[in-house]
Amino acid sequence: MSASPARIEVVRADITTLEVDVIVNAANSRLVPGGGVDGAINRAAGPDLAKAMAGLGRCPTGEAVVTPAFKLKAKHVIHTVAPVYAQHPEKDVWRLLGSCYRNALGLAHDHKAHSIAFPSLGTGVYGIPIAQACKVAITEVQAHLATKPRPHHIVFCCFSESDAALYRAALESKEGY
Ligand code: AR6
């Protein structure tokens, strides 16, 4: 049986409502529930998620860890920690952000996920400019799809229509980072 063809989609939505195998969380390295998308995911998943996160200890910037998704429709939540824009030289920001996408995709592959939804990691409280961050996200996803069969349905879930427009333009331009 051949695998389904890869599909990259950009949607404007609350990520907690999506029916995908994996939802990615923009966490902090202490894995303590915060605001933004982290807060929304924790509210929707219920208090067991915070307990599972605490049980994992810490997650260094650029790395990723996995928990069950509890009350969410997804099977797993993959937590990854983007760099704080103001705390690193620019080249390290892109390297660490790229590593967040690569590590999250690798974990999703290992957990046999067919579909995954990403928020725009690092572009809220952590201050990374979204016009460049979305190019990192798209480049890393396309590189993953070129070599691995899963997850083959990738959703970039944006919280505003203007963010979604930037992702769509970057997908069309095929410019790397
Ligand atoms: N669905 C989809 N996207 C969302 C949602 C949602 N429900 N809510 C916010 N966004 P942020 P960061 C978008 O700040 O910059 C937390 O306190 C938002 O518009 O959530 O990586 C953590 O604990 C933005 O585009 O993540 C960390 O301390 C994107 O999600 C810190 O924030 C990411 O914004 C991480 O900061």
Side-chain angles (χ1 to χ4, degrees):
M1 200 173 73
S2 63
S4 309
R7 179 155 61 104
I8 300 179
E9 210 182 342
V10 179
V11 302
R12 198 216 62 75
D14 173 353
I15 202 167
T16 64
T17 65
L18 299 183
E19 294 194 34
V20 285
D21 293 338
V22 169
I23 284 178
V24 179
N25 182 20
N28 54 67
S29 58
R30 292 175 301 122
L31 296 175
V32 172
V37 73
D38 190 9
I41 289 172
N42 270 279
R43 281 191 297 279
D48 286 341
L49 180 60
K51 288 181 201 152
M53 290 167 75
L56 293 170
R58 290 179 61 83
C59 179
T61 303
E63 295 191 14
V65 293
V66 62
T67 63
F70 300 101
K71 290 184 184 168
L72 290 165
K73 290 172 187 154
K75 296 185 183 111
H76 295 100
V77 178
I78 289 178
H79 309 265
T80 187
V81 182
V84 178
Y85 187 64
Q87 290 180 358
H88 302 270
E90 187 104 344
K91 69 175 181 5
D92 289 345
V93 170
W94 310 128
R95 178 180 59 76
L96 289 164
L97 186 62
S99 161
C100 288
Y101 284 94
R102 282 195 301 282
N103 285 323
L105 289 161
L107 263 183
H109 175 269
D110 295 348
H111 283 75
K112 305 204 179 333
H114 296 291
S115 52
I116 186 168
F118 284 97
S120 186
L121 299 169
T123 66
V125 175
Y126 283 2
I128 304 178
I130 192 166
Q132 180 74 4
C134 67
K135 292 180 191 162
V136 174
I138 289 164
T139 304
E140 295 297 346
V141 160
Q142 287 175 333
H144 180 88
L145 289 174
T147 57
K148 295 261 170 59
R150 289 185 309 268
H152 50 78
H153 179 198
I154 317 278
V155 181
F156 290 119
C157 178
C158 298
F159 212 35
S160 71
E161 198 42 61
S162 57
D163 288 355
L166 285 171
Y167 270 79
R168 290 193 188 103
L171 258 178
E172 275 165 29
S173 85
K174 297 189 173 29
E175 210 180 275
Y177 71 93

